[in-house]
Amino acid sequence: MKLSLPVAGRRLFATLCVLVASPVLAGNDATLQAYVDAERARAVAPPLSRGVLLQRGSITDIRLSPDGRRVAWLRERGEQRELWLRTIADAAPRRLLADTPAKSLDWSRDGRWLLLRSSRDLQAVAVAGQGGTGRIAMFEGATALAMLDTDVSQPAAVLLVEREGPAAAPTAWRLLRVDMRGQRTVVWQDPQRIVDAILDVRGRLAWLQRMENGGLVILRVVDGKPRPVLRCDPSRRCALRGMAADGTPWLRTDVHSDRSRLVRLGLDGRLDEVHSDPRRIADIDRLIEDPVDRRPRFVAYRSTAAHLHALAPDDAAHLAVVQSMLPGRDLDLQPGVGEGAHWLVEIRSPQAPLRRWRLYDPSTRRLSPLLDEQPLDRRTGGPAVALPEASLARPMPLTWTASDGRRLHGFLWLPPGLDAKRAPLVVVPHGGPWNHWKPEYRSLSQLLANRGYAVFEPNFRGSTGHGRDYMRAADADFGNGRVQRDVVDGTRWLLAQGIGDPDRVGIVGASFGGYSALLGATFEPDLFKVAVATVPPPDFGWVLRWLLRNPEALEVSAVVPMETWLRGQGIDVTDKAMMDRLHAQSPLANVARLRRPVLLVAGGEDRRVGVAGVIEYAARLKLAGKDVALLMDEQAGHDGGTPLAREARTYLIETMLHRELGGAAPAAPDAELRGYLRRNLRLPGTLVP
């Protein structure tokens, strides 16, 4: 549908396009007002169904071969996941596997094998009849295996790290080379935990990263002897990213810097900067490496706006051509290497849940179609109606000043065609808390905007993506303290700018965002009229201690044990005074103060937030006579469970916000959804008459 705007509206729309595509943030009245006016001038969006707004794409992973001549992808079809391959010279793709549990894939360095990785194992698939398919490594069992990368010294091999002994007391760590037949070669054995490694072109260990005394150490290996070159505090980023021809490695790190950047590590431990955010705002989001020698070629930043930078002049020239043909888009690249090699260009947008892929030919400087994701209904897995991008909200990056003077970041989503001042406002803190909102599609924010709500997503201090000082500024104050004050300050600042109806403000979040929602409703009832908390920790200190006792959640990554990492963030779960303070400020300890309705959502298989804590909190609210509803699915995990479970959660959010804030009423549930709610809505509260 073609939109027809008056001249003034077209001018405002043009202004908005410039603002959203540029690094300018809405941190002053003029910039924010231009965005508000442009959104007000748009046509009112038609109501879109939950199923359409919750749709997802069918492609779970896609990879270009190192020679840039073939593309492989994993596609969901109903309950199955298929492996597809297309040779660029041949327009017709072919299906290699009809069903695989793999969630990600990669190519061997010689391009003859595809590597399929699931949570259970790693399989090698011959691309053109070199021997079929076979499992080459297991990720389960008494020993733990983790894949580092493909081996750049071999045509077709991967590097794995293996732990010997129980997780609580391992006796040794091994760096393994595993070929496509599953043949294992021990490259290095170490009594300390191996984190990463770099091999030289002859297959010898050149650089090693391991844990020593609670810290990360990078060692240069000469004649089989490791020599320490750089020590990293575990609270800092310190990731090896390949080795240059002179033997020095690249490092993605915030050592000696506030923000994560790309550096070269000298043999003497000196760090020479290769690239950092030219706007001085964002950490590196992603490095795009050469598929053959693993040298970094592009750097992506995506904390406030999407920016992609090339490190070499030839790559920069080609990137400029691609960006000129796809202006204002969030792009990701996979470059091929060699004569006749193409690049794979991925196109994303905050107004589209589906991605598109194009092939770029560096020899002709032309783009050609490759693949568009097909919309899938989240519940049925079948085809869905494509979203009308012109009707969706366009998020705007924001900056505002907290009450203590710190500049903070976030995003604002306004419903098209409506008066922002009259719209109910929904605040959506992110989970983590060590995480951040990025400029990308989010189904909940789009759904809320489509229902007429203004949506505010604060990246409070403690968030990642904006530098070490920004993250560390939380200072472990995760109760009803400084971090929560950022959420409140940002909400009040937006209201003062004429965004949202002050009498109709709600707060919705998941995980730590759900905890923040409960804090808001408990301690700021005059501001927040309703709270929805999905898989929330009612007591943040308690859930941290629970996590450390849970073997399945002992590590936040494959790098640093969780307890060590928490201490690096200033949180010591053995510090009684700190834990007592977090408890005293928790929603669980302040049930009597709550006077706003609350919807809780929990999962019986949640391995991040123990369901017992959520149930206890709901029971205390019920006994105290509070307005509480609880949706508890015994089969759901921390990610929300099945598509039906997620739609049920969304329906209840719509219902709760409609009742308390006066937004659009939800479409009536069908029979399947009603049945799910009958089984799992354990406390209906006043949601169900």
Side-chain angles (χ1 to χ4, degrees), residues 422-434:
R422 297 175 182 272
L425 176 64
V426 178
V427 181
V428 186
H430 62 71
W434 301 285

Side-chain angles (χ1 to χ4, degrees), residues 211 214 233-237 433-435 462 464 471-472 556-557 559-571:
M211 291 291 300
D233 184 285
S235 68
R236 289 190 177 271
R237 300 173 179 88
W434 301 285
N435 200 346
T464 55
M471 182 175 69
R472 295 275 293 176
V556 292
S557 71
V559 178
V560 181
M562 184 176 179
E563 189 169 7
T564 302
W565 193 87
L566 286 174
R567 284 201 175 104
Q569 307 310 313
I571 298 177

Side-chain angles (χ1 to χ4, degrees), residues 152 223 436 445 479 558:
V152 299
D223 297 328
H436 65 283
S445 293

Side-chain angles (χ1 to χ4, degrees), residues 343-345 347 356-360 367-372:
W343 291 9
L344 181 63
V345 180
I347 308 164
R356 295 177 288 151
W357 290 272
R358 301 293 179 261
L359 292 170
Y360 174 68
L367 281 176
S368 58
L370 173 70
L371 188 65
D372 287 357

Side-chain angles (χ1 to χ4, degrees), residues 116-130:
L116 303 183
R117 193 185 330 188
S118 72
S119 59
R120 302 192 305 267
D121 61 17
L122 179 68
Q123 294 195 5
V125 178
V127 173
Q130 288 95 16

